[in-house]
Amino acid sequence: METSAISFRVADFLKKHPPFQAMEESDLLELAARGRVKFHEPNEYILWQGEPHRHQVFVIHQGTVSLWDEAASDAELRDVRGVGDMLGVEQFNGAQACLHSARSSSDVLIYAFPAYEFEMLLDKYPKARQYVMAYGSVVTDYQWTDGIRDPRTTFLHDIVAANPLHTVAVETSIADVAHTLLSTGAGAIAVVDTAGRARALVTPDSLMAWIATGGGDTRSPATALMAGRPLSMKPDSTIAEGLLSMGRSDADALAITADGSPDGALQAVVTSRALSPMFGDHPVVILHDIRHAGTPAALRALNQRARAFALQQLAGAASVDWVAQFLHLADAGIVRRLVSTSGDDGSSCWSLCGSSGRAESLTRLAPRIVMITADSCSQETALATYQHVTAALSDCDYLHRPEDAFDQSFYVAASSEWRTRCSDWIRDPILKQTYRARPLFDLRPIHGDESLWRSLQNAVNQTVDRDFLTVMANDCLASLPPLTFFQDAVVDESGEESPVFRLERSALRPLVDVGRVFGFAGRRIFGWSTLERLEIAGSLFPEHQTVFREAAETLRIVLWLQGRVGISQGTSGAELPPALVSRHERQLLKSGFRSIHRLLEITAALSWAEAL
């Protein structure tokens, strides 16, 4: 911490986190120059409850720290803090000693700064003082006026203190559990065994569901309410991870355990209600309401809410990962709901393909649906059901797809027919014009008999060979990115200018096509996203890992722009006027174009195929 270079690095870190965001860089550099670095291995005490305040304040640079109340015989978890959080700030709020013991939950690196200098900065910057005052409640809903908390970097442990842990023993009667819910106003009650492990999470909704399905004797033990193990996660899981898990499981609550497993020691319970302050609208509630919507009009409103929420959360390219997953759950939920109300008997497998199957569809473009039927199924009946569902998508405020490579009836076929088609596409890709069917290799099941999908997947995995990969790799060169932007025009390599940036064709398509080729190479075919395929490509060919990583970042940037502009403009985002892309975003895209070119060069060289 003695060189100016290190001081600059520390100051750069500090200004990313409150309350230091409110401070001028010169003051941060002076504070950084007087700081020290401390390292703690897992399960070491950093602060002891009741000890006099040290003449330092701490900022966590790496790792996770748990705060414990050890006043009673059994220590109770009070908070968990991570990167950018502070320790020892209670001394600035009138506390006479450390309020809690602080223990490292992992390898922890912290910055220690002189307390008196930090306090001088609090006197200088009222916003910083306001933030530290809010720290007195352990976990606060404080937000900077110029931004919102990012679900990707905000941890579930940040809302632990806002949800006191209420537990009952497994032998507690259902009536007593209901009484505890009423008397405490808790969003969830944890049913725990003698080892302190959660066996069930009881919420008002789960209790009503038990009653609605026939219930039973309310004097029965709480174990009668158990319907499988509760959803559980680690304390350092992000809010984005938590809400997606709750959305997939249609769960009202999840357990935070020491190791993230259902058998881990219970530390806290987080409910969907507790997540609500993070968002203007709540994603878990949207997904829950989609599952229970009664009409296309209700689904239409929910689709609009999902896109409005996504637009709010698309603060940067890094947000694409979790926002795309959320919108995939929303789209799949809407299709699933339409299927369930169409009279479908559940014997077929409904799947999504193309961008929807890759979980990369952010705009209101209608999901591309595939129906795999049992060989004994009536194709006429299946097609009628399929047409009913696809027609209903427009009632749910989806945009019609442009002209497709195949007629609508093509997407409804028996399992044996799909296997024959895929075999033909792979064995004779040129004559069978496999390039038209590429989106069908992104198939992801969402409803019905998944064994039909698995059978098709196994057949494709066994048929793919090096010759097929070579043809597919060469086909990737059919779509090339532009060269640059000039004023409000897009310039290609020949120097030709266009007033429209064809994002789908010139940027997304080559990334997706190459990702699919390496997905074939790594047997990551059906049900995988482009980001996952590029990741497996990097592990298969580590000598090109940097290129694959840069391509993944480019994909995030392109999807972010497509989602942001497409949602706000009410379009598919396939084409963007350059005027809607800022100068900074253009610089990002130009770097991305170079990344795509490097990716295509590696793909076309085919040396990687020889190594398989």
Side-chain angles (χ1 to χ4, degrees), residues 239-250:
I239 286 179
E241 293 168 338
L243 69 87
L244 288 174
S245 293
M246 294 170 74
R248 292 188 188 100
S249 305
D250 196 20

Side-chain angles (χ1 to χ4, degrees), residues 247 250 272 279-293 298-299 301-310 312 326-327 329-331 333-334:
D250 196 20
S272 58
F279 310 103
D281 200 346
H282 198 292
V284 175
V285 174
I286 293 174
L287 297 175
H288 177 273
D289 290 350
I290 286 173
R291 287 186 175 92
H292 302 281
L299 290 172
L302 289 164
N303 186 17
Q304 293 170 346
R305 282 174 59 189
R307 259 63 201 188
F309 170 79
Q312 178 190 17
F326 163 71
L327 288 176
L329 292 175
D331 289 341
I334 289 173

Side-chain angles (χ1 to χ4, degrees), residues 117-367:
E117 294 203 13
F118 180 74
E119 188 163 27
M120 290 173 61
L121 292 175
L122 296 183
D123 292 337
K124 182 176 180 179
Y125 298 100
K127 281 189 176 181
R129 171 71 74 178
Q130 179 188 7
Y131 180 84
V132 170
M133 288 176 63
Y135 239 99
S137 61
V138 184
V139 175
T140 75
D141 58 356
Y142 178 87
Q143 293 182 357
W144 294 99
T145 56
D146 57 352
I148 60 173
R149 300 172 79 181
D150 190 341
R152 297 175 302 107
T153 56
T154 306
F155 301 102
L156 287 173
H157 62 60
D158 287 342
I159 54 175
V160 167
N163 291 271
L165 180 59
H166 298 282
T167 64
V168 296
V170 291
E171 62 270 16
T172 304
S173 70
I174 294 174
D176 287 341
V177 173
H179 176 74
T180 303
L181 278 171
L182 286 172
S183 61
T184 62
I189 302 294
V191 180
V192 299
D193 59 20
T194 55
R197 296 170 299 193
R199 292 309 181 202
L201 298 180
V202 182
T203 65
D205 282 352
S206 67
L207 193 59
M208 285 190 290
W210 177 79
I211 296 171
T213 55
D217 190 348
T218 58
R219 293 171 297 179
S220 301
T223 51
L225 296 171
M226 297 181 186
R229 302 300 298 277
L231 183 66
S232 61
M233 302 192 76
K234 296 187 294 185
D236 58 353
S237 299
T238 66
I239 286 179
E241 293 168 338
L243 69 87
L244 288 174
S245 293
M246 294 170 74
R248 292 188 188 100
S249 305
D250 196 20
D252 295 323
L254 63 83
I256 295 180
T257 64
D259 60 3
S261 73
D263 289 325
L266 180 66
Q267 295 183 347
V269 172
V270 178
T271 64
S272 58
R273 185 177 69 183
L275 294 176
S276 297
M278 280 290 301
F279 310 103
D281 200 346
H282 198 292
V284 175
V285 174
I286 293 174
L287 297 175
H288 177 273
D289 290 350
I290 286 173
R291 287 186 175 92
H292 302 281
T295 64
L299 290 172
R300 178 187 182 90
L302 289 164
N303 186 17
Q304 293 170 346
R305 282 174 59 189
R307 259 63 201 188
F309 170 79
L311 182 61
Q312 178 190 17
Q313 298 301 319
L314 284 171
S319 62
V320 162
D321 295 53
W322 82 269
V323 173
Q325 287 291 324
F326 163 71
L327 288 176
H328 170 71
L329 292 175
D331 289 341
I334 289 173
V335 173
R336 193 180 295 116
R337 189 61 182 154
L338 291 174
V339 171
S340 66
T341 58
S342 69
D344 179 72
D345 62 5
S347 62
S348 300
C349 180
W350 294 76
S351 302
L352 302 181
C353 69
S355 60
S356 303
R358 298 189 305 271
E360 294 166 2
S361 183
L362 278 72
T363 66
R364 290 190 293 111
L365 187 64

Side-chain angles (χ1 to χ4, degrees), residues 190-515:
V191 180
V192 299
D193 59 20
T194 55
R197 296 170 299 193
R199 292 309 181 202
L201 298 180
V202 182
T203 65
D205 282 352
S206 67
L207 193 59
M208 285 190 290
W210 177 79
I211 296 171
T213 55
D217 190 348
T218 58
R219 293 171 297 179
S220 301
T223 51
L225 296 171
M226 297 181 186
R229 302 300 298 277
L231 183 66
S232 61
M233 302 192 76
K234 296 187 294 185
D236 58 353
S237 299
T238 66
I239 286 179
E241 293 168 338
L243 69 87
L244 288 174
S245 293
M246 294 170 74
R248 292 188 188 100
S249 305
D250 196 20
D252 295 323
L254 63 83
I256 295 180
T257 64
D259 60 3
S261 73
D263 289 325
L266 180 66
Q267 295 183 347
V269 172
V270 178
T271 64
S272 58
R273 185 177 69 183
L275 294 176
S276 297
M278 280 290 301
F279 310 103
D281 200 346
H282 198 292
V284 175
V285 174
I286 293 174
L287 297 175
H288 177 273
D289 290 350
I290 286 173
R291 287 186 175 92
H292 302 281
T295 64
L299 290 172
R300 178 187 182 90
L302 289 164
N303 186 17
Q304 293 170 346
R305 282 174 59 189
R307 259 63 201 188
F309 170 79
L311 182 61
Q312 178 190 17
Q313 298 301 319
L314 284 171
S319 62
V320 162
D321 295 53
W322 82 269
V323 173
Q325 287 291 324
F326 163 71
L327 288 176
H328 170 71
L329 292 175
D331 289 341
I334 289 173
V335 173
R336 193 180 295 116
R337 189 61 182 154
L338 291 174
V339 171
S340 66
T341 58
S342 69
D344 179 72
D345 62 5
S347 62
S348 300
C349 180
W350 294 76
S351 302
L352 302 181
C353 69
S355 60
S356 303
R358 298 189 305 271
E360 294 166 2
S361 183
L362 278 72
T363 66
R364 290 190 293 111
L365 187 64
R368 185 177 289 174
I369 305 173
V370 170
M371 190 176 180
I372 308 172
T373 69
D375 290 343
S376 59
C377 177
S378 166
Q379 294 304 299
E380 183 179 353
T381 301
L383 179 59
T385 303
Y386 180 90
Q387 291 173 335
H388 172 80
V389 171
T390 53
L393 288 175
S394 61
D395 295 332
C396 299
D397 201 34
Y398 283 105
L399 301 172
H400 287 289
R401 283 189 166 275
E403 286 189 22
D404 209 331
F406 303 103
D407 293 334
Q408 188 181 59
S409 60
F410 182 87
Y411 293 99
V412 182
S415 176
S416 58
E417 173 64 18
W418 280 113
R419 289 196 298 272
T420 299
R421 290 174 178 177
C422 288
S423 177
D424 289 344
W425 286 327
I426 294 171
R427 297 187 187 281
D428 194 358
I430 296 176
L431 291 181
K432 296 297 182 180
Q433 298 181 315
T434 303
Y435 70 90
R436 302 171 64 216
R438 282 177 293 194
L440 290 165
F441 289 105
D442 302 327
L443 214 58
R444 186 185 297 252
I446 62 168
H447 184 76
D449 185 359
E450 288 193 14
S451 66
L452 299 173
W453 173 86
R454 286 193 295 271
S455 174
L456 180 59
Q457 177 183 237
N458 293 336
V460 170
N461 281 340
Q462 294 169 7
T463 311
V464 168
D465 57 19
R466 187 181 298 176
D467 291 340
F468 175 69
L469 290 177
T470 299
V471 174
M472 293 292 286
N474 287 327
D475 283 350
C476 293
L477 302 178
S479 300
L480 298 175
L483 179 65
T484 187
F485 293 93
F486 179 72
Q487 295 180 351
D488 283 338
V490 182
V491 183
D492 64 21
E493 289 190 319
S494 66
E496 184 177 348
E497 295 185 7
S498 171
V500 175
F501 172 35
R502 294 178 175 84
L503 178 148
E504 182 81 34
R505 189 183 74 181
S506 62
L508 265 183
R509 185 178 298 172
L511 288 166
V512 168
D513 287 348
V514 170

